[in-house]
Amino acid sequence: GSDLRVKMSDISAFLSELHLSKYNEVFVKNGFEDMESLCELTDLHLQQLHVDDADDRAILLAALRTAENSTPNMSADNVLRNSSGSSRSTSLQGPPASNATPLTLELLRATAGVQSTGKPDSDAALLARATHLRFNGKRLSQIDHLDMCPAVRVLYLYENRIERLRGLSNCQQLTHLYLQNNRISFMEGLSSLVNLTKLYLNDNSITCLEGLDRCTRLEELHLSNQRLPLGQPMLFSEDSLDALSRSLRLLNLANVHLEDPTPLAVLERLQSLNLSKNLIGRYDLLAHMLMGLEELQTLDLRLNPVTREPKYREKLIMMSTAVDLLDDRKVTTQERSFLFSLEAQKRERKQSKRVQPASVSGSILDEQADPTHRHTAPSSDVNHVGRAGQMSLPHKPPLLRRGSSKQNDKQTSSEGDSSKPRLSVTGSSFRS
């Protein structure tokens, strides 16, 4: 309604004053539709919303804190407004309950901005129109009564005490679900969320990625920083990974004790993958994974054992030609070209070394065939005449045997006898 457009224009004007209008679409797509909801943001939330520039985050948070402190605290009467002219819900402000509480119908009405009329049919009709619900930081232990809100698209349930995912089966229009920092151990009750595009489950106790067999439109999945038992790595359901293989663009699995990332190779459309703070130590496992991730552009492996290996960065860049941001460092065209050129030179040198023995042998044969080529043979192979005039016989045919033969022929000719000479082993000359 008109009230919603006014709220949206407030956010737009706020960002424009800070010269940060480029983030307007980011907040709209993630369900932030009034200044009140923006004031709840923290630096971590902004990072999850991909406000990557640290200076921009600092400017936003400082301005939001100033705006929050300059606005009087709203009473419950001001918050509980009739929503007949608006499809947007407002959050109930105030301190959370001291103990964990269930999601009661009264809290649901308050958070949805519905003032009870005393007529159940009227209340149900108003709740059925709510599209954005905020229950973050309410110390909730369980989810109930959400079946009365079938039109909800964005649901904030982070920073509570929720242990089981129940009560979402009627929320089939849900596109954004925020459940980070709870006590969830199992990914269950999500099969009916066929329109879900963003799911935040980081900072829980989940041991297995599962229960997403029908979430074929999911684009972002955040599962980082799970509180897992020592030695328990994150596991993967094959059916869930197959369901996500053609839709998932961003996956955050930082700090989940992961050792083997090869199951992720089926996520063929993945563009951003965070595997930092894990236990990956083998290049071959990474190579297998990257063979399937042909569209991957951003990869974070910081604080894994493999990053301490020699030439780690160079090897990873060679494994994937698509990754252009590795461990939050840009992979430049010049860097990749240099590494590929260097690798080509190494291959050429290896090939030349393999054929070098044949070349050396060929050069020796050429020297033997050329009688004019001078060659100094080892002393053991050279014919020589001893002091007593005895001629030493070689153990094998020497390279210069031809020269010794000519010398003997000359000596025989000088004695003027044409008959065949007889060789005396003890004599000092040839005798006729």
Side-chain angles (χ1 to χ4, degrees), residues 230-253:
L230 185 64
Q232 171 66 59
M234 174 67 71
L235 304 175
F236 305 96
S237 161
E238 184 176 345
D239 292 337
S240 290
L241 288 180
D242 287 341
L244 301 177
S245 62
R246 288 168 292 278
S247 66
L248 199 65
R249 301 293 189 273
L250 184 149
L251 177 60
N252 190 342
L253 287 172

Side-chain angles (χ1 to χ4, degrees), residues 46 48 51 56 60 70 82-83 85 110 129 152 166 183 193 209 246 250 259 300 302 322 335-336 345 354 381 422:
L46 290 176
Q48 293 172 347
V51 181
D56 290 351
L60 273 169
S70 62
N82 192 306
S83 65
R129 296 167 55 185
V152 63
R166 296 174 177 176
R183 300 177 179 179
L193 308 182
L209 191 161
R246 288 168 292 278
L250 184 149
E259 298 179 8
D300 196 341
R302 285 176 291 182
E335 183 180 14
R336 178 170 278 119
Q345 293 176 15
R354 284 197 294 268
D381 290 341
R422 291 179 299 172

Side-chain angles (χ1 to χ4, degrees), residues 73-140:
N73 293 330
M74 300 178 65
S75 64
D77 292 337
N78 291 330
V79 175
L80 299 177
R81 300 178 294 107
N82 192 306
S83 65
S84 59
S86 172
S87 61
R88 165 70 174 96
S89 64
T90 57
S91 301
L92 177 63
Q93 302 296 315
S98 57
N99 298 315
T101 59
L103 176 56
T104 63
L105 187 58
E106 289 74 18
L107 181 58
L108 179 62
R109 288 196 187 101
T111 305
V114 175
Q115 242 180 348
S116 178
T117 61
K119 301 178 181 180
D121 292 342
S122 178
D123 291 352
L126 294 174
L127 288 171
R129 296 167 55 185
T131 59
H132 294 67
L133 296 175
R134 292 184 170 278
F135 301 110
N136 51 290
K138 305 298 181 187
R139 298 179 182 262
L140 298 178

Side-chain angles (χ1 to χ4, degrees), residues 13 23 43 77 84 136 141 144 179 192 235 239 355 369 409 416:
Y23 297 117
D43 186 74
D77 292 337
S84 59
N136 51 290
S141 57
D144 296 302
L179 283 161
S192 62
L235 304 175
D239 292 337
V355 301
D409 292 344

Side-chain angles (χ1 to χ4, degrees), residues 12-25:
S12 179
F14 170 74
L15 294 173
S16 179
E17 289 181 6
L18 299 175
H19 302 287
L20 296 175
S21 297
K22 60 183 177 181
Y23 297 117
N24 190 59
E25 186 177 358

Side-chain angles (χ1 to χ4, degrees), residues 314 318 335-354:
E314 291 82 351
M318 296 290 292
E335 183 180 14
R336 178 170 278 119
S337 298
F338 171 77
L339 291 175
F340 275 96
S341 175
L342 187 62
E343 182 65 19
Q345 293 176 15
K346 289 180 180 179
R347 286 198 299 267
E348 291 178 0
R349 285 197 295 269
K350 287 181 180 179
Q351 291 175 357
S352 65
K353 286 182 179 179
R354 284 197 294 268

Side-chain angles (χ1 to χ4, degrees), residues 71-280:
T71 303
N73 293 330
M74 300 178 65
S75 64
D77 292 337
N78 291 330
V79 175
L80 299 177
R81 300 178 294 107
N82 192 306
S83 65
S84 59
S86 172
S87 61
R88 165 70 174 96
S89 64
T90 57
S91 301
L92 177 63
Q93 302 296 315
S98 57
N99 298 315
T101 59
L103 176 56
T104 63
L105 187 58
E106 289 74 18
L107 181 58
L108 179 62
R109 288 196 187 101
T111 305
V114 175
Q115 242 180 348
S116 178
T117 61
K119 301 178 181 180
D121 292 342
S122 178
D123 291 352
L126 294 174
L127 288 171
R129 296 167 55 185
T131 59
H132 294 67
L133 296 175
R134 292 184 170 278
F135 301 110
N136 51 290
K138 305 298 181 187
R139 298 179 182 262
L140 298 178
S141 57
Q142 60 190 46
I143 309 171
D144 296 302
H145 305 297
L146 285 178
D147 56 337
M148 302 180 67
C149 305
V152 63
R153 292 188 293 109
V154 181
L155 180 57
Y156 297 92
L157 289 165
Y158 61 88
E159 295 177 2
N160 282 297
R161 300 181 179 181
I162 300 169
E163 297 181 358
R164 304 292 299 271
L165 288 177
R166 296 174 177 176
L168 297 172
S169 58
N170 202 36
C171 301
Q172 298 180 12
Q173 301 304 313
L174 198 63
T175 60
H176 294 61
L177 180 56
Y178 297 83
L179 283 161
Q180 61 266 39
N181 200 14
N182 276 281
R183 300 177 179 179
I184 302 168
S185 299
F186 301 99
M187 294 177 63
E188 57 186 348
L190 301 170
S191 59
S192 62
L193 308 182
V194 294
N195 291 302
L196 197 64
T197 59
K198 294 185 180 182
L199 176 58
Y200 291 80
L201 282 166
N202 35 301
D203 296 284
N204 279 283
S205 302
I206 297 170
T207 59
C208 183
L209 191 161
E210 59 186 341
L212 301 175
D213 306 6
R214 298 182 60 194
C215 299
T216 56
R217 297 184 180 181
L218 192 66
E219 297 179 1
E220 292 188 17
L221 177 58
H222 300 261
L223 277 170
S224 60
N225 301 318
Q226 298 300 319
R227 297 181 288 271
L228 302 177
L230 185 64
Q232 171 66 59
M234 174 67 71
L235 304 175
F236 305 96
S237 161
E238 184 176 345
D239 292 337
S240 290
L241 288 180
D242 287 341
L244 301 177
S245 62
R246 288 168 292 278
S247 66
L248 199 65
R249 301 293 189 273
L250 184 149
L251 177 60
N252 190 342
L253 287 172
N255 193 23
V256 293
H257 299 181
L258 185 63
E259 298 179 8
D260 182 4
T262 56
L264 305 179
V266 301
L267 302 176
E268 58 189 44
R269 305 301 300 277
L270 200 63
Q271 297 176 355
S272 179
L273 177 60
N274 189 342
L275 295 177
S276 61
K277 301 179 183 179
N278 279 298
L279 304 173
I280 303 170

